[in-house]
Amino acid sequence: MADKTLPTTKTDVAPAEEVANLSVASEAEQNITPWTVEGAVVNGEQQAVDYNKLIAQFGTRKITPELLERFTTVTGHEPHLYLRRGIFFSHRDLEKILDRHEQGKPFYLYTGRGPSRGHMHVGHMTPFIFCKWLQDVFDVPLVVQLTDDEKFLFKKELTIDQVHKYAIDTVREIAAVGFKPEKTFIFSNLDYMGGAFYRNVLQISNLVTLSQARSAFGFVGESNIGQVHFPSIQAAPALCSTFPGIFGSRKDAACLIPCGIDQDPYFRITRDVCPRLKHPKPSLLHARFLPALQGSKSKMSSSIDSSAIFMNDTPAQIKNKINRHAFSGGRTSLEEHRMYGGDPDVDVSYQFLTYF
């Protein structure tokens, strides 16, 4: 999702000076932003993403066995395998959502997709599969934001008609996961913007300074003004008053957002402004990235066909991609492989089995 008008900067929590310090990239630092996912470079070799470092860098908290035990106690359900296997590994205030469920207070789920082509890859399915399970466990509403406007602003090669068509095409793949129709609202920003949604977008944008946006997202002089404004659009669905058709006039329904860890900068800003708008701060669950076929040093990318398995790939195409491109945990020689065995920590096919 990277765009050439944006620098590959680090993002961190406020205050601004802390973020600014992380913006100075060095050869050894990993680079995780909403547009770029790259492991650190050590001695000229790119490394896998260090998720423990991200927890410290972003100021989140690790999902612990104790928290999962409480999840089971409160919900009566064994945690999803994505939680048990550490695919969702980090959180912000998950315990507050469990408190709300225990107390019978309202909350809802929010996730999204930025469609840059007509079909999602299997890595995009992770939050939707997880949200389906969460919706079944908690029996709560789910809103799904399709950020076709973002893709138009950040992908210069795409037209506005293309991104809108991609968003509509994406709906079928999302709906196929099996969400409850009566409790699920999937919307395109290009179609839904207006009314309560736009009022909240404006209120959020009025509370976020250009300096904060630059620090969190690395915007530069060449960034267009739509890019700078977009974070307020992704933030707005975390406020329940954005959806009067679901919540009426209330402002007290909390929000739980399962998403990739690279999306956290959007919601750090959201959590900062929510109390000033008299809404609860959203809670988050952060997922690891499904590795690219070439290995865990980067994630699957819609713009690199050989890195990903797409939802419309045929069985023959999937087999061919794995055989040709999937990084192997095998050793450099048959003798070494017999002596030491394969390395599942770097074998992409093994990693995929962890998810699916």
Side-chain angles (χ1 to χ4, degrees):
M1 296 194 303
D3 182 84
K4 63 183 179 182
T5 62
L6 287 174
T8 53
T9 57
K10 308 297 176 296
T11 58
D12 206 334
V13 290
E17 60 267 25
E18 293 180 6
V19 181
N21 289 337
L22 286 168
S23 297
V24 182
S26 75
E27 186 178 338
E29 291 179 331
Q30 62 185 0
N31 184 24
I32 311 298
T33 76
W35 304 281
T36 304
V37 174
E38 297 173 341
V41 177
V42 178
N43 296 325
E45 182 176 346
Q46 193 168 40
Q47 309 296 306
V49 174
D50 185 335
Y51 291 100
N52 288 327
K53 183 176 180 180
L54 275 182
I55 288 174
Q57 183 178 340
F58 284 5
T60 68
R61 287 186 290 162
K62 189 173 183 179
I63 295 174
T64 63
E66 292 76 20
L67 184 58
L68 294 183
E69 185 177 343
R70 176 146 192 265
F71 187 100
T72 300
T73 301
V74 170
T75 67
H77 290 263
E78 183 183 25
H80 192 277
L81 66 86
Y82 284 179
L83 290 168
R84 301 196 308 271
R85 296 179 181 179
I87 293 168
F88 279 85
F89 70 101
S90 163
H91 75 102
R92 292 187 187 274
D93 292 343
L94 176 59
E95 71 281 356
K96 292 185 178 180
I97 294 296
L98 296 177
D99 290 343
R100 279 184 164 266
H101 182 67
E102 210 168 28
Q103 297 161 7
K105 293 181 178 179
F107 69 93
Y108 65 104
L109 303 169
Y110 161 35
T111 195
R113 167 78 190 109
S116 58
R117 62 185 287 168
H119 296 276
M120 297 190 292
H121 60 60
V122 292
H124 294 141
M125 298 302 293
T126 303
F128 295 113
I129 293 169
F130 189 51
C131 278
K132 160 71 167 85
W133 180 80
L134 289 172
Q135 188 181 57
D136 289 343
V137 168
F138 292 114
D139 193 28
V140 294
L142 164 69
V143 298
V144 180
Q145 181 186 50
L146 302 177
T147 58
D148 38 15
D149 52 346
E150 179 215 14
K151 284 297 174 276
F152 175 68
L153 293 168
F154 286 87
K155 295 278 189 180
K156 300 301 184 183
E157 69 277 13
L158 298 178
T159 68
I160 200 163
D161 291 334
Q162 282 178 311
V163 296
H164 185 254
K165 181 181 184 302
Y166 293 159
I168 301 306
D169 291 344
T170 295
V171 172
R172 291 177 296 177
E173 293 172 349
I174 295 172
V177 174
F179 299 111
K180 298 178 180 180
E182 72 280 7
K183 291 195 173 184
T184 304
F185 179 45
I186 305 173
F187 63 96
S188 149
N189 283 347
L190 288 176
D191 290 337
Y192 187 62
M193 180 68 71
F197 184 13
Y198 189 53
R199 284 196 293 273
N200 278 343
V201 168
L202 288 179
Q203 290 187 92
I204 292 166
S205 62
N206 193 41
L207 295 174
V208 180
T209 67
L210 179 58
S211 176
Q212 287 175 309
R214 282 176 170 169
S215 295
F217 299 100
F219 296 124
V220 294
E222 291 74 27
S223 303
N224 66 58
I225 59 175
Q227 293 172 346
V228 177
H229 180 249
F230 176 75
S232 61
I233 299 174
Q234 185 157 322
L239 282 66
C240 67
S241 60
T242 295
F243 306 103
I246 301 174
F247 300 105
S249 60
R250 70 189 312 161
K251 293 185 176 182
D252 62 336
C255 180
L256 174 60
I257 307 171
C259 62
I261 186 71
D262 58 329
Q263 300 299 301
D264 189 70
Y266 286 114
F267 301 113
R268 292 202 294 270
I269 286 180
T270 309
R271 285 168 57 85
D272 181 56
V273 302
C274 274
R276 289 184 277 173
L277 295 175
K278 303 189 184 309
H279 284 71
K281 291 182 178 182
S283 300
L284 285 92
L285 284 165
H286 302 114
R288 297 172 181 262
F289 307 114
L290 185 67
L293 285 166
Q294 289 74 17
S296 58
K297 298 171 185 178
S298 62
K299 68 172 184 176
M300 281 192 180
S301 171
S302 293
S303 60
I304 305 174
D305 190 76
S306 64
S307 78
I309 296 171
F310 292 92
M311 299 303 294
N312 65 326
D313 282 347
T314 66
Q317 287 174 317
I318 294 170
K319 181 179 179 180
N320 182 58
K321 284 184 176 181
I322 290 176
N323 287 341
R324 290 185 62 190
H325 303 295
F327 189 82
S328 171
R331 304 294 174 173
T332 56
S333 68
L334 181 60
E335 182 182 358
E336 282 191 9
H337 193 77
R338 285 173 172 166
M339 184 178 298
Y340 301 112
D343 183 355
D345 291 337
V346 300
D347 189 279
V348 166
S349 297
Y350 183 88
Q351 296 302 315
F352 286 0
L353 291 175
T354 305
Y355 285 73
F356 304 112

